[in-house]
Amino acid sequence: RFKLNTKGIEALTAWVLEKEGCRGGEVSFLFLNNDRIRSLNRQYLGRDYPTDVLSYPQNEGEEGKLQPWFLGDVVISTEQVARQAPAYGQNVEDEFSLCLIHGILHLLGYRDYPAASRRAMKRQEEALLKEWKRKRKRQWSLIRS
């Protein structure tokens, strides 16, 4: 497990929303362990295993018109992020940033399916991560040492 820097999370979130042309949107975050995210994954998606990130858009359908500024919830398993980072050749900071970006993009309408949508989303999240890493200059670390 690792300690999160809320200022860094807020900075990355605001930056991604701005880059995606979303002004004034609000996102809620929940950081869990594998057992808790596995339970949510099973309950809402019928998948009985832990995952790194889940997104719950709140601005879709009729109810979304009630509070259009509230984009939704992003849930991240910090345990899963720490576990998978080495397997993906990433450090934990970059893997956590990528999961955060992935979750936000889902709230903005990006999808994992079909395959063409998944590829477009992957390209966008990798481009955003690359630019974020270049610009942040460690002043906005998402993880505290």
Side-chain angles (χ1 to χ4, degrees), residues 4-119:
L4 301 174
N5 178 4
T6 56
K7 296 285 187 201
I9 292 167
E10 290 170 2
L12 176 56
T13 301
W15 181 82
V16 169
L17 293 175
E18 181 180 319
K19 293 295 284 183
E20 290 295 312
C22 181
R23 307 267 189 279
E26 185 175 318
V27 177
S28 169
F29 293 100
L30 182 61
F31 304 106
L32 303 174
N33 63 24
N34 277 353
D35 289 338
R36 303 260 328 266
I37 205 164
R38 178 181 183 175
S39 177
L40 291 174
N41 203 19
R42 181 176 51 242
Q43 180 179 355
Y44 291 103
L45 296 175
R47 300 174 183 158
D48 192 17
Y49 54 85
T51 188
D52 51 4
V53 60
L54 295 170
S55 296
Y56 299 95
Q58 300 296 318
N59 58 355
E60 297 175 344
E62 285 300 312
E63 291 80 23
K65 295 176 185 173
L66 297 175
Q67 297 176 334
W69 47 267
F70 183 62
L71 301 175
D73 306 297
V74 174
V75 181
I76 296 176
S77 169
T78 54
E79 182 180 354
Q80 187 65 23
V81 168
R83 181 176 291 165
Q84 74 190 24
Y88 293 154
Q90 297 263 42
N91 62 49
V92 174
E93 169 94 17
D94 290 347
E95 185 65 17
F96 183 75
S97 299
L98 189 63
C99 287
L100 199 84
I101 292 167
H102 183 87
I104 294 168
L105 291 180
H106 271 308
L107 299 183
L108 297 174
Y110 286 79
R111 297 289 173 249
D112 290 321
Y113 300 98
S117 295
R118 181 175 49 250
R119 286 189 299 271

